Structure formats: C-alpha cells, structure tokens
Amino acid sequence: MKVLKTALFILALFLAVIQFIPDRLPENVADNPGDMLNSGAVPEQVVAILKTSCYDCHSNETHFPWYSRLAPASWLMAKDIREGRENVNFSEWNGLSKRDKIGKLESVKEEITKGEMPLPVYTLIHRKARLTPEQVSYLAKWADDMANEILK
Amino acid sequence: MKTTILLGILGSLALVVFIRGSVMHRETGTESARLTEVDFPAEVKAIIDQKCHGCHSVDGKSKDAKESLMWDSIPEYPRVKQLAKLNDIIGVLDDGSMPPEKFIEMEPGAKLTKEQRRILKSWAEQTADELLN
C-alpha cells in the first residue's frame, strides 16, 4: 500500500512538473480572409468533411479540447498541428500559387486514398473524423476535379 | 430480298466504321488533353540517371522511394499529377532533403552539386510553368 502511494505521489509530481515545460501549441487566428471555403465554390458536403476531419490540423481554426492544455497530450498535439498547418493550411489557401494548389490537392487525394489521413492517432479520439469509404472517394474526386479546374 | 440483305450489311458496315471512327477520335482527343510533353533534356537526364534513378525507378529497392516518385512514369501521368510531382521535386530540391542524408553518408558521391541542383530545379520550374499555361 505504501509502495502504491509513493508511486502515485511520484506520478502526480511528475505530471505537475511537466506542465511547466512550454507546449508550443500553435495559436488560432480568428479572421482568415484567404480561407479556401470563403470562395463559396466548395460543395457543402466537402465543407462538412473538411471541417470535421481536417480543419483541426489543416487550418488556423483548431478546436482545442480541454486536455490539449495538459502535458504530455499538448506536446503531441502541438507537433501534429504545427506539421499539419505547414503541409496544408486551408486558412491560407488563396495566397498559394496555382502549382502549389494543384500539388496540395493531389496530396489530399493521395493521402486519404492511402488511408494515411486523417492520422490514426487523431481518429482514435475523434471518432467523427473517421472517413467512410464513400467520403474518401467523394473527397478524392473533388480534390482531383478542383486541381483540374485550376489548370483550365 | 437480296437487295434488302445487301443494304442491311452495307448499312451495318457503315455504322461500324462510323462508331469506330468516333471512338478513335475521342481517344486521341483525351490523349492530347491528358498527356503533355514532359521532356528530359540530355543534361537533366544525365543528373537523374546518376543521382536519382537508383531508388526512384522500377529497379529501386525502397518501396517508399518508389511510391513517392518514379521518374520514368511522369510522362504518363495526368497533367495535374505531373504538376504535383514537379512541385514535390522543387520542394525537395529547395529544402535539400534529397538525396537523403543517410544515403549520402553511405555513398558520398550521391550528393547533388550546387550546379546539378540548379539545373534540375530550373528544369522542373520551367516544365511546371509550361504545363500550367
């Protein structure tokens, strides 16, 4: 019993201490005039999928859950969100070159088709973010169509 | 009776010729819309053969490398995919992530010289611009 108490105490102390290590969670931006969805050209069904399954990491509008401020969850999230925004940030879409837009849309198609996105660690907690096979083929087709549209 | 049969045969022949003709026409139509010339000038090809082809071709051993890029397949891709691949190529030339650090450690000769990097990059940028216009 004493051993258990000591172990719990050490664990609590450890958790308390790591809270002081900066998490580097990226900030949200409220106003995103360059957001892809502002154009109104994206079909509603796609908007819904993107918002539910992609926007937490691939936009400036992340929904931070309560545990996102707690280490060590915050570290993991900070890394994934940072990398996600770096690769594709739909909130800063309009500033991209045509070439970049096409490249990113083709990546969207590839990643979701291969099942590499959304990240399994994310869908494990966010069950609603999981894409059904129908959603995958719908989104992949939309991405490819939009890339071809940019080419015209 | 004979004339009707003859007319029938002639009619169906004409129909077959017409359908084949329009199908062929359509095929060549999509062909030209889909396949665009991605040319590899001798200078560019030499660099690719020497520095990239070992991994990014059918003979490559790394599945990852082959999934990411197969140089020889680029001319067959739809135009948007060609552009996406060229964009990726420009990206790795910019951030210096290719050839991979670990590979260069084993084979120092694999490193791209500044000049080779410049040649590949300007080829990729120019080709991408041509595809976009």
Side-chain angles (χ1 to χ4, degrees):
Chain A
M1 197 60 199
K2 209 179 168 196
V3 181
L4 186 70
K5 257 190 179 169
T6 320
L8 274 176
F9 177 74
I10 290 171
L11 182 71
L13 191 71
F14 172 74
L15 284 175
V17 168
I18 63 172
Q19 302 311 318
F20 289 96
I21 301 170
D23 54 33
R24 298 181 63 237
L25 271 178
E27 294 294 320
N28 269 349
V29 181
D31 192 26
N32 297 293
D35 195 289
M36 185 178 69
L37 305 182
N38 288 350
S39 67
V42 181
E44 247 172 71
Q45 211 177 330
V46 174
V47 174
I49 300 174
L50 289 176
K51 287 259 182 191
T52 317
S53 302
C54 317
Y55 260 52
D56 267 349
C57 294
H58 294 292
S59 81
N60 290 337
E61 300 165 53
T62 307
H63 291 286
F64 290 106
W66 61 267
Y67 51 83
S68 70
R69 300 285 164 193
L70 287 176
S74 57
W75 303 341
L76 186 71
M77 289 176 61
K79 180 176 170 285
D80 287 344
I81 297 167
R82 240 167 240 290
E83 285 180 4
R85 288 185 185 182
E86 221 174 273
N87 286 322
V88 185
N89 189 340
F90 292 115
S91 296
E92 287 160 20
W93 184 256
N94 293 347
L96 296 173
S97 68
K98 275 186 173 184
R99 196 182 78 206
D100 269 333
K101 283 180 184 168
I102 292 171
K104 287 176 197 299
L105 285 165
E106 289 296 292
S107 293
V108 168
K109 179 184 157 191
E110 205 177 300
E111 298 274 323
I112 59 167
T113 309
K114 281 192 195 162
E116 285 173 6
M117 280 289 151
L119 284 181
V121 65
Y122 176 72
T123 48
L124 191 70
I125 299 159
H126 300 82
R127 309 299 274 186
K128 278 189 195 155
R130 281 188 297 179
L131 297 176
T132 65
E134 293 77 30
Q135 285 179 314
V136 169
S137 47
Y138 183 78
L139 196 61
K141 188 181 177 304
W142 164 81
D144 205 38
D145 287 348
M146 183 156 160
N148 277 294
E149 197 59 42
I150 293 169
L151 248 190
K152 277 182 192 165
Chain B
M1 186 61 191
K2 264 188 184 166
T3 346
T4 325
I5 293 171
L6 198 67
L7 270 178
I9 292 172
L10 275 177
S12 2
L13 269 177
L15 196 68
V16 167
V17 170
F18 173 76
I19 290 171
R20 289 186 101 182
S22 64
V23 167
M24 270 165 74
H25 185 77
R26 208 168 342 120
E27 273 172 0
T28 42
T30 40
E31 203 89 325
S32 61
R34 202 189 314 142
L35 296 185
T36 351
E37 331 67 49
V38 174
D39 290 327
F40 299 96
E43 192 184 29
V44 171
K45 197 177 175 304
I47 303 172
I48 297 169
D49 284 350
Q50 194 194 343
K51 304 280 165 100
C52 322
H53 227 248
C55 298
H56 295 286
S57 71
V58 277
D59 304 324
K61 290 195 174 63
S62 151
K63 199 174 151 243
D64 262 4
K66 291 203 273 191
E67 264 181 21
S68 310
L69 176 69
M70 296 276 269
W71 285 95
D72 298 336
S73 306
I74 296 180
E76 294 152 29
Y77 291 150
R79 213 200 291 201
V80 282
K81 192 165 173 184
Q82 291 177 333
L83 271 163
K85 292 297 168 191
L86 287 166
N87 200 38
D88 289 346
I89 290 165
I90 295 163
V92 301
L93 288 169
D94 276 340
D95 67 19
S97 56
M98 280 290 146
E101 202 77 38
K102 278 193 178 151
F103 186 68
I104 293 171
E105 270 172 33
M106 292 189 296
E107 295 191 35
K111 200 172 161 82
L112 286 168
T113 66
K114 251 193 183 163
E115 180 64 2
Q116 289 175 325
R117 198 173 289 278
R118 188 194 61 77
I119 292 169
L120 277 187
K121 197 184 160 192
S122 74
W123 165 81
E125 282 176 340
Q126 199 188 329
T127 310
D129 283 347
E130 280 165 17
L131 291 173
L132 275 169
N133 293 315

